[in-house]
């Protein structure tokens, strides 16, 4: 079945440093969605990418969808303590979530 | 986005018993899903709740253990049957307004089995 892997599994950064998480699917995705889950909370939708090679920005967050539509990345510039949480990618083919990357930001 | 009410928010149950979790949406949605999330882990899709018909279960999940109902486009229930400590987890309901749109989640049900 479809598998969606994310790396790294964990990342600790100093506040102000950049952060990137990568998402890789075993199958081609029609689109990819990114979610953020704060500790103790539920996943909250961030963005959806649909087109091959698409790049979208939300303030300090940059999302990219690979040309083959099998991988994606999320890059955060100058992390803040409010960025703490687990970031998941998900494909809508089967609504399968990636393994997630847990981000800790040290003040 | 849709407002989702999930009940109960948490429960502590005895092994061998069953618990029904409810998910109510404030608007009609195309798709409703049930996930399980172990502490520190990703979300595992249990099943897609289909309106008026049997749910579609993912590999490793069966109807006898996790019966699901979806009588209309705004409501679904998940029952965790004959619970054991291995069923201790967070159970999440999610909805999708239209196909290929993002999911929106309820607050989850934190379930502990003694």
């Amino acid at each position: 079945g479809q598998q969606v892997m994310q790396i790294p599994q964990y990342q600790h950064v100093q506040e102000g440093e950049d952060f990137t998480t990568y998402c890789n699917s075993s199958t081609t995705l029609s689109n990819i969605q990114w979610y953020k889950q704060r500790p103790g909370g539920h996943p909250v939708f961030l963005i959806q990418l649909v087109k091959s090679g698409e790049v979208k920005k939300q303030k300090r967050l940059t999302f990219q969808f690979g040309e083959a539509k099998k991988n994606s990345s999320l890059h955060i510039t100058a992390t803040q303590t409010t960025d703490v949480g687990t970031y998941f990618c998900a494909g809508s083919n089967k609504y399968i979530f990636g393994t997630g990357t847990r981000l800790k930001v040290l003040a | 986005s849709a407002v989702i009410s999930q009940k109960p928010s948490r429960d502590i149950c005895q092994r061998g018993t069953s618990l029904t979790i409810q998910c109510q949406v404030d608007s009609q949605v195309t798709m409703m899903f049930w996930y399980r999330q172990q502490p520190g882990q990703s979300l595992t899709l249990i099943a897609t709740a289909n309106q008026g018909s049997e749910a579609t279960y993912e590999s490793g999940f069966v109807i006898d253990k996790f019966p699901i109902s979806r009588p209309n486009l705004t409501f679904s229930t998940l029952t965790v049957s004959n619970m054991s400590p291995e069923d201790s987890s967070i159970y999440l309901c999610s909805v999708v307004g239209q196909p290929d749109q993002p999911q929106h989640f309820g607050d989850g049900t934190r379930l502990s089995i003694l």
Side-chain angles (χ1 to χ4, degrees):
Chain A
Q2 179 185 9
Q3 292 186 335
V4 183
M5 305 297 294
Q6 286 181 250
I7 54 171
Q9 187 177 4
Y10 303 97
Q11 184 85 57
H12 294 186
V13 299
Q14 287 290 136
E15 188 173 24
E17 291 182 341
D18 292 356
F19 160 77
T20 303
T21 174
Y22 300 91
C23 172
N24 296 288
S25 171
S26 59
T27 60
T28 302
L29 302 170
S30 59
N31 63 52
I32 196 157
Q33 299 157 1
W34 283 92
Y35 296 80
K36 177 183 178 181
Q37 185 175 27
R38 293 181 182 274
H42 60 267
V44 174
F45 172 72
L46 293 177
I47 208 161
Q48 177 169 282
L49 304 171
V50 179
K51 298 177 182 177
S52 170
E54 187 172 13
V55 177
K56 285 189 176 180
K57 292 190 174 184
Q58 284 181 351
K59 298 183 180 178
R60 294 178 295 105
L61 278 60
T62 301
F63 304 84
Q64 186 167 4
F65 201 7
E67 294 291 339
K69 302 184 77 173
K70 295 180 70 174
N71 56 71
S72 181
S73 65
L74 158 60
H75 179 82
I76 302 178
T77 303
T79 55
Q80 300 175 359
T81 55
T82 53
D83 295 325
V84 165
T86 302
Y87 293 85
F88 293 102
C89 61
S92 66
N93 297 41
K94 286 278 288 180
Y95 297 96
I96 302 297
F97 272 66
T99 48
T101 296
R102 184 180 301 177
L103 173 64
K104 288 192 175 181
V105 180
L106 307 174
Chain B
S1 61
V3 176
I4 303 162
S5 173
Q6 189 174 335
K7 297 179 181 180
S9 59
R10 60 177 63 232
D11 207 339
I12 301 173
C13 302
Q14 296 293 324
R15 68 177 66 202
T17 63
S18 298
L19 177 75
T20 296
I21 303 168
Q22 298 181 357
C23 181
Q24 177 75 56
V25 194
D26 68 342
S27 60
Q28 293 185 348
V29 293
T30 304
M31 307 177 82
M32 297 183 77
F33 303 96
W34 289 98
Y35 287 87
R36 182 170 70 184
Q37 186 176 31
Q38 306 279 10
Q41 302 296 314
S42 183
L43 287 75
T44 301
L45 182 61
I46 297 172
T48 302
N50 300 310
Q51 192 259 328
S53 64
E54 189 173 293
T56 304
Y57 289 85
E58 297 299 309
S59 176
F61 298 96
V62 295
I63 188 171
D64 290 347
K65 176 67 176 177
F66 298 100
I68 288 170
S69 78
R70 189 178 172 194
N72 55 52
L73 294 176
T74 64
F75 184 77
S76 178
T77 67
L78 167 73
T79 299
V80 186
S81 303
N82 188 25
M83 289 184 285
S84 66
E86 292 72 35
D87 295 320
S88 296
S89 188
I90 298 172
Y91 292 85
L92 291 150
C93 162
S94 77
V95 305
V96 172
Q98 295 295 328
D100 284 343
Q101 285 187 349
Q103 297 183 68
H104 298 280
F105 286 82
D107 288 337
T109 297
R110 185 178 297 271
L111 181 59
S112 299
I113 291 92
L114 303 179

